[in-house]
């Protein structure tokens, strides 16, 4: 009665709440529940709107109950007074006929938290197993000792057979599987490179921007580094030309350098990107054939 009277006074005179820290109201939404069946526990709080308040989350220990969900309701504020409500969906597997729960709220003040609990509420657990009236149950408490043994020979025999078949499988198919996997990896990487490189080609044709040519060149170097297993991405244009010694590649790289560093954007970078793509396709086929013949 005193609790309800205090709430009425707070609603009528909101300034009273500024000097009070009220506990939350907590209650079960059902009087009785079955073991393993979900049920709700409502936790609500009326407080000064200037206060910072936190409700228990999923990390909180709801013993003897287990949390399986929660429903939040929007905060309602009137005349500087706020009200929050959360319904926790719980379940229990304890067999105690009466189970209680009290939950806290946390007032955050000056970096510290003040924990205040609700009054405990109880719920009745419905017992599905009933005593058989008039039945006499006989018990047999005599202990029978059973010797536990581990069949080590069987375990070792099975392990040896499994190891033998794994070894045989590797000898017959291991190299082919490894080769197929490597081929799959370089095919996928090559298709990804072509898709991204052709995207840069289309952007350059539309915008004629030297920065796009530079991004395409960096993409090409990074891909060649993975394909050839040599640090092409750290090489200068001169070093790349000396490495592959191909005239068309030399002309293409020099035209790209003029576009990037000299701003000489013309049709030459477009042809140069095509040269880089054709060269990459050729190198990919060479690496692929080497793997296929291993």
């Amino acid at each position: 009665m005193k609790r309800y009277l205090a709430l009425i006074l707070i609603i009528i005179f909101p300034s009273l709440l500024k000097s009070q820290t009220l506990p939350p109201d907590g209650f079960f939404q059902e009087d009785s529940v079955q073991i393993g069946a979900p049920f709700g526990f409502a936790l609500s709080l009326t407080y000064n709107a200037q206060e910072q308040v936190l409700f228990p989350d999923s990390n909180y220990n709801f013993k003897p109950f287990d949390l399986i969900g929660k429903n939040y309701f929007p905060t309602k504020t009137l005349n500087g007074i706020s009200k929050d409500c959360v319904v926790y969906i719980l379940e229990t597997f304890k067999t105690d006929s009466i189970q209680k729960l009290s939950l806290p709220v946390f007032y955050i003040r000056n970096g510290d938290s003040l924990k205040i609990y609700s009054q405990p509420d109880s719920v009745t657990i419905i017992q599905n197993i009933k005593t058989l009236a008039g039945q006499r149950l006989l018990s047999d408490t005599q202990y029978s000792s059973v010797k536990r043994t581990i069949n080590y020979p069987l375990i070792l025999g099975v392990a040896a057979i499994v190891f033998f078949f794994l070894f045989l499988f590797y000898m017959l198919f291991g190299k082919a599987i490894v080769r197929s996997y490597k081929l799959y990896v370089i095919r996928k990487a090559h298709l990804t490179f072509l898709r991204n490189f052709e995207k840069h080609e289309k952007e350059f044709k539309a915008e004629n921007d030297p920065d796009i040519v530079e991004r395409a060149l960096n993409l090409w170097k990074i891909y060649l580094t993975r394909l050839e297993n040599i640090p092409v991405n750290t090489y200068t244009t001169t070093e790349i030309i000396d490495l592959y010694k191909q005239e068309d590649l030399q002309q293409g790289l020099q035209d790209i350098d003029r576009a990037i560093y000299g701003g000489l954007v013309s049709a030459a970078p477009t042809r140069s990107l095509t040269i880089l793509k054709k060269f990459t396709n050729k190198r990919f086929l060479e690496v692929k054939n080497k793997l296929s013949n291993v």
Side-chain angles (χ1 to χ4, degrees):
M1 186 65 181
K2 293 180 179 180
R3 172 67 175 160
Y4 292 111
L5 181 59
L7 289 175
I8 293 173
L9 291 175
I10 288 171
I11 294 174
I12 299 175
F13 304 103
S15 59
L16 293 176
L17 190 58
K18 296 181 180 179
S19 59
Q20 295 190 25
T21 302
L22 295 179
D25 291 323
F27 62 90
F28 289 101
Q29 294 183 321
E30 293 86 6
D31 295 330
S32 59
V33 297
Q34 290 188 340
I35 293 177
F39 55 92
F41 183 90
L43 185 69
S44 62
L45 177 69
T46 301
Y47 60 97
N48 188 338
Q50 297 180 355
E51 292 273 15
Q52 183 180 359
V53 178
L54 298 178
F55 281 64
D57 60 10
S58 56
N59 294 323
Y60 186 78
N61 187 351
F62 289 83
K63 285 186 178 180
F65 307 98
D66 296 320
L67 178 69
I68 60 175
K70 51 185 178 292
N71 297 320
Y72 290 97
F73 295 90
T75 301
K76 294 183 178 180
T77 302
L78 180 64
N79 297 328
I81 304 301
S82 294
K83 184 172 183 179
D84 279 325
C85 182
V86 180
V87 176
Y88 297 94
I89 309 302
L90 309 172
E91 63 182 1
T92 183
F93 293 94
K94 302 293 184 180
T95 57
D96 298 341
S97 58
I98 302 294
Q99 297 181 23
K100 297 182 178 181
L101 182 63
S102 174
L103 293 180
V105 294
F106 302 87
Y107 286 87
I108 308 302
R109 295 173 177 171
N110 299 323
D112 294 328
S113 63
L114 174 63
K115 184 191 299 185
I116 300 181
Y117 283 87
S118 65
Q119 289 293 328
D121 194 21
S122 61
V123 65
T124 302
I125 305 301
I126 300 173
Q127 301 291 339
N128 292 321
I129 300 178
K130 302 182 181 299
T131 303
L132 299 178
Q135 297 290 329
R136 182 184 179 187
L137 302 179
L138 300 178
S139 62
D140 183 3
T141 59
Q142 185 176 357
Y143 176 77
S144 297
S145 177
V146 179
K147 185 179 180 180
R148 298 183 179 223
T149 59
I150 299 176
N151 194 340
Y152 289 104
L154 177 62
I155 295 175
L156 293 176
V158 172
I161 293 172
V162 171
F163 178 81
F164 172 78
F165 280 103
L166 289 176
F167 177 78
L168 183 63
F169 181 84
Y170 176 79
M171 294 300 296
L172 294 176
F173 307 106
K175 291 184 178 180
I177 293 174
V178 172
R179 181 171 60 249
S180 298
Y181 176 75
K182 289 182 178 180
L183 288 171
Y184 166 78
V185 170
I186 66 169
R187 284 195 200 99
K188 185 177 180 181
H190 188 66
L191 291 175
T192 302
F193 162 75
L194 290 178
R195 183 169 59 252
N196 294 331
F197 193 84
E198 289 170 356
K199 181 180 178 182
H200 288 316
E201 282 185 298
K202 293 179 181 178
E203 290 177 350
F204 177 74
K205 290 178 181 179
E207 302 178 17
N208 210 31
D209 186 354
D211 290 339
I212 299 175
V213 179
E214 184 176 7
R215 292 198 295 269
L217 178 63
N218 291 333
L219 177 66
W220 178 77
K221 288 183 177 181
I222 292 172
Y223 173 69
L224 271 188
T225 298
R226 294 179 57 188
L227 181 66
E228 305 279 14
N229 199 24
I230 54 178
V232 178
N233 60 325
T234 64
Y235 288 1
T236 63
T237 297
T238 302
E239 291 172 330
I240 296 175
I241 293 171
D242 291 338
L243 175 65
Y244 292 109
K245 302 184 186 307
Q246 295 191 16
E247 292 183 4
D248 56 345
L249 179 63
Q250 176 180 348
Q251 185 63 44
L253 289 174
Q254 289 175 346
D255 287 342
I256 289 176
D257 281 351
R258 294 188 190 98
I260 295 174
Y261 303 109
L264 302 177
V265 179
S266 63
T270 302
R271 293 193 302 269
S272 300
L273 293 178
T274 303
I275 292 172
L276 295 187
K277 184 168 64 173
K278 289 181 178 179
F279 173 82
T280 307
N281 287 332
K282 181 179 178 181
R283 297 301 300 174
F284 165 74
L285 291 176
E286 291 178 2
V287 174
K288 176 185 173 184
N289 291 333
K290 287 180 181 179
L291 281 176
S292 300
N293 295 327
V294 173

